[in-house]
Amino acid sequence: FPCAVAAITFILLAAPLYFVSSSRLNHWGIRWAFAPIEHWLSRPERAAAFNIISPVIFLGALVSVILLNLAPLVSLGRALLGNDAIPVLRLKIKYWNLFAVGLSLLLTLALVGYAFVENVASHGRL
């Protein structure tokens, strides 16, 4: 089950990973990876649709990855301490799931940082 979850979530990570990677490469002057996105953004109506839909898809996929991979890693239970039952949070180490969560958090940080720079810093509102 955890390996299947990790495999599914790497499929979910494909779109945000491609967008962040191709945007970074485009910024460094390597334009071929961003060309399909640039073609899509070349028309104003498609660019407007992309600007509305892409955050939902990218951030939705990233949040889904985090939640799906935390399920096999974290469990909540009870332990007896004397006569009292106390809540216990158990963490398991499963490297693929941890890697998926870490990559998702990194991509989320990159997308939120990009959105901040594009919408706030570039307009001189800082």
Side-chain angles (χ1 to χ4, degrees):
F1 172 71
C3 289
V5 168
I8 291 168
T9 56
F10 284 115
I11 293 169
L12 287 173
L13 285 173
L17 182 62
Y18 175 76
F19 181 76
V20 169
S21 301
S22 63
S23 296
R24 179 54 46 202
L25 288 171
N26 189 47
H27 180 71
W28 289 335
I30 303 169
R31 308 221 184 285
W32 61 267
F34 198 74
I37 297 170
E38 192 68 41
H39 176 72
W40 180 262
L41 297 174
S42 64
R43 290 192 174 158
E45 64 274 359
R46 285 196 267 176
F50 182 82
N51 288 337
I52 293 170
I53 294 170
S54 64
V56 173
I57 291 173
F58 294 157
L59 294 176
L62 294 170
V63 168
S64 297
V65 166
I66 291 169
L67 294 177
L68 285 171
N69 280 288
L70 282 180
L73 295 174
V74 178
S75 63
L76 185 62
R78 292 184 182 257
L80 292 175
L81 186 63
N83 291 333
D84 297 326
I86 58 170
V88 175
L89 181 68
R90 292 184 179 97
L91 300 173
K92 297 177 185 173
I93 305 250
K94 298 184 179 186
Y95 294 107
W96 286 112
N97 298 100
L98 285 172
F99 180 73
V101 169
L103 182 59
S104 183
L105 290 172
L106 184 66
L107 289 171
T108 302
L109 181 65
L111 286 172
V112 170
Y114 173 77
F116 176 76
V117 168
E118 285 294 315
N119 294 311
V120 177
S122 65
H123 297 302
R125 294 186 205 154
L126 280 178

Coordinates of all heavy atoms in Angstrom, one line a residue, residues 18-78:
Y18 N 7.3 19.5 -13.7 CA 7.6 20.0 -15.1 C 7.5 21.5 -15.2 O 8.4 22.1 -15.7 CB 6.7 19.3 -16.1 CG 6.9 19.9 -17.5 CD1 8.0 19.5 -18.2 CD2 6.0 20.8 -18.0 CE1 8.2 20.0 -19.5 CE2 6.2 21.3 -19.3 CZ 7.3 20.9 -20.0 OH 7.6 21.4 -21.3
F19 N 6.4 22.1 -14.6 CA 6.3 23.5 -14.7 C 7.4 24.3 -14.0 O 8.0 25.2 -14.5 CB 4.9 23.9 -14.1 CG 4.7 25.4 -14.2 CD1 4.3 26.0 -15.4 CD2 4.8 26.2 -13.0 CE1 4.1 27.4 -15.5 CE2 4.6 27.6 -13.1 CZ 4.3 28.1 -14.3
V20 N 7.7 23.8 -12.7 CA 8.8 24.5 -12.0 C 10.1 24.3 -12.7 O 10.9 25.3 -12.8 CB 8.8 24.0 -10.5 CG1 10.0 24.5 -9.8 CG2 7.5 24.4 -9.8
S21 N 10.4 23.1 -13.1 CA 11.7 22.9 -13.8 C 11.8 23.6 -15.1 O 12.9 24.2 -15.3 CB 11.9 21.4 -14.0 OG 11.8 20.6 -12.8
S22 N 10.8 23.6 -15.9 CA 10.9 24.3 -17.2 C 10.9 25.8 -17.0 O 11.6 26.5 -17.7 CB 9.7 23.9 -18.1 OG 8.5 24.3 -17.5
S23 N 10.2 26.3 -16.0 CA 10.3 27.7 -15.7 C 11.7 28.1 -15.2 O 12.2 29.2 -15.7 CB 9.3 28.1 -14.6 OG 8.0 27.9 -15.0
R24 N 12.3 27.3 -14.4 CA 13.7 27.6 -13.9 C 14.6 27.6 -15.1 O 15.5 28.4 -15.3 CB 14.0 26.7 -12.8 CG 15.4 26.8 -12.3 CD 15.8 28.2 -11.7 NE 14.8 28.8 -10.9 CZ 14.8 30.1 -10.7 NH1 15.7 30.9 -11.2 NH2 13.9 30.7 -9.9
L25 N 14.5 26.5 -15.9 CA 15.4 26.4 -17.1 C 15.2 27.6 -18.1 O 16.2 28.1 -18.6 CB 15.2 25.1 -17.8 CG 15.7 23.8 -17.1 CD1 15.2 22.6 -17.8 CD2 17.2 23.8 -17.0
N26 N 14.0 28.0 -18.3 CA 13.7 29.1 -19.1 C 14.3 30.4 -18.6 O 14.9 31.2 -19.3 CB 12.2 29.3 -19.2 CG 11.8 30.4 -20.3 OD1 12.3 30.4 -21.4 ND2 10.9 31.2 -19.9
H27 N 14.3 30.6 -17.3 CA 14.9 31.7 -16.6 C 16.4 31.7 -16.8 O 17.0 32.8 -16.9 CB 14.5 31.7 -15.1 CG 15.1 32.8 -14.3 ND1 14.7 34.1 -14.5 CD2 16.1 32.9 -13.5 CE1 15.4 34.9 -13.7 NE2 16.3 34.2 -13.1
W28 N 17.0 30.5 -16.9 CA 18.4 30.4 -17.1 C 18.8 30.4 -18.6 O 20.0 30.2 -18.9 CB 19.0 29.1 -16.5 CG 19.0 29.2 -15.0 CD1 19.0 30.2 -14.2 CD2 18.9 28.0 -14.1 NE1 19.0 29.9 -12.8 CE2 18.9 28.5 -12.8 CE3 18.8 26.7 -14.3 CZ2 18.9 27.7 -11.7 CZ3 18.8 25.8 -13.2 CH2 18.8 26.3 -11.9
G29 N 17.8 30.6 -19.5 CA 18.2 30.7 -20.9 C 18.0 29.5 -21.7 O 18.2 29.4 -22.9
I30 N 17.6 28.4 -21.1 CA 17.3 27.1 -21.8 C 15.8 27.1 -22.0 O 15.0 26.7 -21.2 CB 17.8 25.9 -20.9 CG1 19.2 26.1 -20.5 CG2 17.5 24.6 -21.6 CD1 19.7 25.1 -19.5
R31 N 15.4 27.5 -23.3 CA 14.0 27.7 -23.6 C 13.2 26.5 -24.1 O 12.0 26.6 -24.1 CB 14.0 28.9 -24.6 CG 14.8 30.1 -24.1 CD 14.1 31.4 -24.4 NE 14.9 32.5 -24.1 CZ 15.1 33.0 -22.9 NH1 14.6 32.3 -21.8 NH2 15.8 34.1 -22.6
W32 N 13.9 25.5 -24.5 CA 13.1 24.4 -25.2 C 12.1 23.7 -24.2 O 11.1 23.2 -24.7 CB 14.1 23.4 -25.8 CG 15.0 22.7 -24.8 CD1 16.2 23.1 -24.4 CD2 14.7 21.6 -24.0 NE1 16.8 22.2 -23.5 CE2 15.8 21.3 -23.2 CE3 13.6 20.7 -23.9 CZ2 15.9 20.2 -22.3 CZ3 13.6 19.7 -23.0 CH2 14.8 19.4 -22.2
A33 N 12.4 23.6 -22.9 CA 11.5 22.9 -22.0 C 10.3 23.7 -21.8 O 9.2 23.2 -21.5 CB 12.2 22.6 -20.7
F34 N 10.4 25.1 -21.8 CA 9.2 25.9 -21.5 C 8.4 26.2 -22.8 O 7.3 26.8 -22.7 CB 9.7 27.2 -20.9 CG 8.6 28.0 -20.2 CD1 8.1 27.6 -19.0 CD2 8.1 29.2 -20.8 CE1 7.1 28.3 -18.4 CE2 7.1 29.9 -20.1 CZ 6.6 29.4 -18.9
A35 N 8.9 25.8 -24.0 CA 8.3 26.1 -25.3 C 6.8 25.7 -25.3 O 6.0 26.4 -25.8 CB 9.1 25.6 -26.4
P36 N 6.5 24.4 -24.9 CA 5.0 24.1 -24.9 C 4.2 24.9 -24.1 O 3.0 25.3 -24.4 CB 5.0 22.6 -24.4 CG 6.4 22.1 -24.6 CD 7.3 23.3 -24.5
I37 N 4.7 25.3 -22.9 CA 3.9 26.2 -22.0 C 3.8 27.6 -22.7 O 2.7 28.2 -22.7 CB 4.5 26.3 -20.6 CG1 4.5 24.9 -20.0 CG2 3.8 27.3 -19.8 CD1 5.3 24.8 -18.7
E38 N 4.9 28.1 -23.2 CA 4.9 29.4 -23.9 C 3.9 29.4 -25.1 O 3.2 30.4 -25.3 CB 6.3 29.7 -24.4 CG 6.5 31.1 -24.8 CD 6.4 32.1 -23.7 OE1 6.9 31.8 -22.6 OE2 5.8 33.2 -23.9
H39 N 3.9 28.3 -25.8 CA 2.9 28.2 -26.9 C 1.5 28.3 -26.4 O 0.6 29.0 -27.0 CB 3.1 26.9 -27.7 CG 2.1 26.7 -28.8 ND1 2.1 27.4 -29.9 CD2 1.0 25.9 -28.8 CE1 1.1 27.0 -30.7 NE2 0.4 26.1 -30.0
W40 N 1.2 27.6 -25.3 CA -0.1 27.7 -24.7 C -0.5 29.1 -24.2 O -1.6 29.6 -24.3 CB -0.2 26.7 -23.5 CG -1.5 26.7 -22.9 CD1 -1.9 27.3 -21.7 CD2 -2.7 26.0 -23.3 NE1 -3.2 27.1 -21.4 CE2 -3.7 26.3 -22.3 CE3 -3.0 25.2 -24.4 CZ2 -5.0 25.8 -22.5 CZ3 -4.3 24.7 -24.5 CH2 -5.3 25.0 -23.5
L41 N 0.5 29.8 -23.7 CA 0.3 31.1 -23.1 C 0.3 32.2 -24.2 O 0.1 33.4 -23.9 CB 1.4 31.5 -22.1 CG 1.3 30.6 -20.8 CD1 2.5 30.9 -19.9 CD2 0.0 30.7 -20.1
S42 N 0.6 31.9 -25.5 CA 0.7 32.9 -26.5 C -0.6 33.6 -26.8 O -0.6 34.7 -27.3 CB 1.3 32.3 -27.8 OG 0.4 31.3 -28.3
R43 N -1.7 33.0 -26.6 CA -3.0 33.6 -26.8 C -3.6 34.1 -25.5 O -3.6 33.3 -24.5 CB -4.0 32.6 -27.5 CG -3.6 32.3 -28.9 CD -4.8 31.6 -29.5 NE -4.5 31.4 -30.9 CZ -5.1 30.4 -31.6 NH1 -6.0 29.6 -31.0 NH2 -4.9 30.3 -32.9
P44 N -4.1 35.3 -25.5 CA -4.6 35.9 -24.2 C -5.7 35.1 -23.5 O -5.7 34.9 -22.3 CB -5.1 37.3 -24.6 CG -4.4 37.6 -25.9 CD -4.1 36.3 -26.5
E45 N -6.6 34.5 -24.3 CA -7.7 33.7 -23.7 C -7.2 32.4 -23.1 O -7.7 32.0 -22.0 CB -8.8 33.5 -24.7 CG -8.5 32.6 -25.9 CD -7.8 33.3 -27.1 OE1 -7.7 34.6 -27.0 OE2 -7.5 32.7 -28.1
R46 N -6.2 31.8 -23.7 CA -5.6 30.6 -23.1 C -4.7 30.9 -21.9 O -4.7 30.2 -21.0 CB -4.8 29.8 -24.2 CG -5.7 29.1 -25.2 CD -4.9 28.1 -25.9 NE -4.3 28.7 -27.2 CZ -3.5 28.1 -28.0 NH1 -3.1 26.9 -27.7 NH2 -3.1 28.7 -29.1
A47 N -4.1 32.1 -22.0 CA -3.2 32.5 -20.8 C -4.1 32.8 -19.6 O -3.8 32.4 -18.5 CB -2.4 33.7 -21.2
A48 N -5.3 33.4 -19.9 CA -6.2 33.7 -18.8 C -6.7 32.4 -18.2 O -6.8 32.2 -16.9 CB -7.4 34.5 -19.2
A49 N -7.1 31.4 -19.0 CA -7.5 30.1 -18.5 C -6.4 29.4 -17.8 O -6.7 28.8 -16.7 CB -8.0 29.2 -19.7
F50 N -5.2 29.4 -18.3 CA -4.1 28.8 -17.6 C -3.8 29.4 -16.2 O -3.6 28.7 -15.3 CB -2.8 28.9 -18.5 CG -1.6 28.3 -17.9 CD1 -1.4 26.9 -18.0 CD2 -0.7 29.0 -17.2 CE1 -0.3 26.3 -17.5 CE2 0.5 28.4 -16.6 CZ 0.7 27.1 -16.8
N51 N -3.9 30.7 -16.2 CA -3.7 31.4 -14.9 C -4.8 31.1 -13.8 O -4.5 31.2 -12.6 CB -3.6 32.9 -15.1 CG -2.3 33.3 -15.8 OD1 -1.3 32.6 -15.7 ND2 -2.4 34.5 -16.4
I52 N -5.9 30.7 -14.3 CA -7.0 30.3 -13.4 C -6.9 28.9 -13.0 O -7.0 28.5 -11.8 CB -8.4 30.6 -14.0 CG1 -8.6 32.1 -14.1 CG2 -9.5 30.0 -13.1 CD1 -9.8 32.5 -14.9
I53 N -6.6 28.0 -14.0 CA -6.7 26.6 -13.8 C -5.4 26.0 -13.1 O -5.4 25.1 -12.3 CB -7.0 25.8 -15.1 CG1 -8.4 26.2 -15.5 CG2 -6.8 24.3 -15.0 CD1 -8.7 25.7 -16.9
S54 N -4.2 26.5 -13.6 CA -3.0 25.9 -13.1 C -2.7 26.0 -11.6 O -2.3 25.0 -11.1 CB -1.8 26.6 -13.9 OG -1.7 28.0 -13.6
P55 N -3.1 27.1 -10.9 CA -2.8 27.0 -9.5 C -3.7 25.9 -8.8 O -3.2 25.3 -7.9 CB -3.3 28.4 -9.0 CG -3.2 29.3 -10.1 CD -3.5 28.4 -11.3
V56 N -4.9 25.7 -9.3 CA -5.8 24.7 -8.7 C -5.2 23.3 -9.0 O -5.1 22.5 -8.0 CB -7.2 24.8 -9.3 CG1 -8.1 23.7 -8.9 CG2 -7.8 26.1 -9.0
I57 N -4.7 23.1 -10.2 CA -4.2 21.8 -10.5 C -2.8 21.6 -9.8 O -2.6 20.5 -9.1 CB -4.0 21.6 -12.0 CG1 -5.3 21.6 -12.7 CG2 -3.1 20.4 -12.4 CD1 -5.3 21.6 -14.2
F58 N -1.9 22.5 -9.9 CA -0.6 22.4 -9.2 C -0.7 22.3 -7.7 O -0.2 21.3 -7.1 CB 0.3 23.5 -9.6 CG 0.7 23.5 -11.1 CD1 1.1 24.7 -11.7 CD2 0.6 22.4 -11.9 CE1 1.4 24.8 -13.0 CE2 0.9 22.5 -13.2 CZ 1.3 23.7 -13.8
L59 N -1.4 23.2 -7.1 CA -1.4 23.2 -5.6 C -2.3 22.0 -5.1 O -2.0 21.4 -4.1 CB -1.9 24.5 -5.1 CG -0.9 25.7 -5.3 CD1 -1.5 27.0 -4.8 CD2 0.4 25.4 -4.7
G60 N -3.4 21.7 -5.9 CA -4.2 20.6 -5.5 C -3.4 19.3 -5.6 O -3.5 18.4 -4.7
A61 N -2.6 19.1 -6.6 CA -1.8 17.9 -6.7 C -0.8 17.9 -5.6 O -0.6 16.8 -5.0 CB -1.1 17.9 -8.1
L62 N -0.2 19.0 -5.3 CA 0.9 19.0 -4.2 C 0.3 18.7 -2.8 O 0.8 18.0 -2.0 CB 1.6 20.4 -4.2 CG 2.4 20.6 -5.5 CD1 2.9 22.0 -5.5 CD2 3.6 19.6 -5.6
V63 N -0.9 19.3 -2.5 CA -1.6 19.0 -1.3 C -2.0 17.6 -1.2 O -1.9 16.9 -0.2 CB -2.7 20.0 -1.0 CG1 -3.6 19.6 0.1 CG2 -2.2 21.4 -0.8
S64 N -2.5 17.0 -2.3 CA -2.9 15.6 -2.4 C -1.7 14.7 -2.1 O -1.8 13.7 -1.4 CB -3.5 15.3 -3.7 OG -4.7 16.0 -3.9
V65 N -0.5 15.1 -2.7 CA 0.7 14.3 -2.4 C 1.0 14.3 -1.0 O 1.4 13.2 -0.4 CB 1.8 14.8 -3.3 CG1 3.2 14.2 -2.9 CG2 1.6 14.5 -4.8
I66 N 1.0 15.4 -0.4 CA 1.4 15.5 1.1 C 0.4 14.7 1.9 O 0.8 13.9 2.7 CB 1.4 17.0 1.5 CG1 2.6 17.7 0.9 CG2 1.5 17.1 3.0 CD1 2.5 19.2 1.0
L67 N -0.9 14.8 1.7 CA -1.9 14.1 2.5 C -1.8 12.6 2.3 O -1.9 11.8 3.2 CB -3.3 14.6 2.2 CG -3.5 16.1 2.7 CD1 -4.9 16.5 2.3 CD2 -3.3 16.2 4.2
L68 N -1.7 12.2 1.0 CA -1.6 10.7 0.7 C -0.4 10.1 1.3 O -0.4 8.9 1.7 CB -1.7 10.5 -0.8 CG -3.0 10.7 -1.5 CD1 -2.9 10.6 -3.0 CD2 -4.0 9.6 -1.0
N69 N 0.7 10.8 1.3 CA 2.0 10.2 1.8 C 2.1 10.3 3.3 O 2.9 9.6 3.9 CB 3.2 10.8 1.1 CG 3.3 10.2 -0.3 OD1 3.7 9.1 -0.4 ND2 3.0 10.9 -1.3
L70 N 1.4 11.2 3.9 CA 1.5 11.3 5.4 C 0.6 10.2 6.0 O 1.0 9.7 7.1 CB 1.0 12.6 5.9 CG 1.9 13.8 5.8 CD1 1.3 15.1 6.3 CD2 3.2 13.5 6.5
A71 N -0.4 9.7 5.3 CA -1.2 8.6 5.8 C -0.4 7.3 6.2 O -0.6 6.8 7.3 CB -2.3 8.3 4.9
P72 N 0.5 6.8 5.3 CA 1.3 5.7 5.7 C 2.4 6.0 6.7 O 3.0 5.1 7.3 CB 1.9 5.1 4.4 CG 1.4 6.0 3.4 CD 0.6 7.1 3.9
L73 N 2.7 7.3 6.9 CA 3.9 7.6 7.7 C 3.5 7.9 9.2 O 4.2 7.7 10.1 CB 4.6 8.9 7.2 CG 5.3 8.7 5.8 CD1 5.8 10.0 5.4 CD2 6.4 7.7 5.9
V74 N 2.2 8.4 9.4 CA 1.8 8.9 10.7 C 0.6 8.1 11.1 O -0.3 7.9 10.3 CB 1.4 10.4 10.6 CG1 0.9 10.9 11.9 CG2 2.6 11.2 10.2
S75 N 0.6 7.6 12.3 CA -0.6 7.0 12.9 C -0.8 7.5 14.3 O 0.1 7.8 15.0 CB -0.5 5.5 12.9 OG 0.6 5.1 13.7
L76 N -2.1 7.6 14.7 CA -2.5 8.0 16.0 C -3.1 6.9 16.8 O -3.9 6.2 16.2 CB -3.5 9.2 15.9 CG -3.9 9.9 17.2 CD1 -2.7 10.5 17.8 CD2 -4.9 10.9 16.9
G77 N -2.6 6.7 18.0 CA -3.1 5.5 18.8 C -3.2 5.9 20.2 O -3.1 7.1 20.6
R78 N -3.4 4.9 21.0 CA -3.4 5.1 22.5 C -2.5 4.1 23.1 O -2.3 3.0 22.7 CB -4.8 4.9 23.0 CG -5.8 5.9 22.6 CD -7.2 5.7 23.2 NE -8.1 6.7 22.8 CZ -8.5 7.7 23.5 NH1 -8.0 7.9 24.7 NH2 -9.3 8.6 22.9

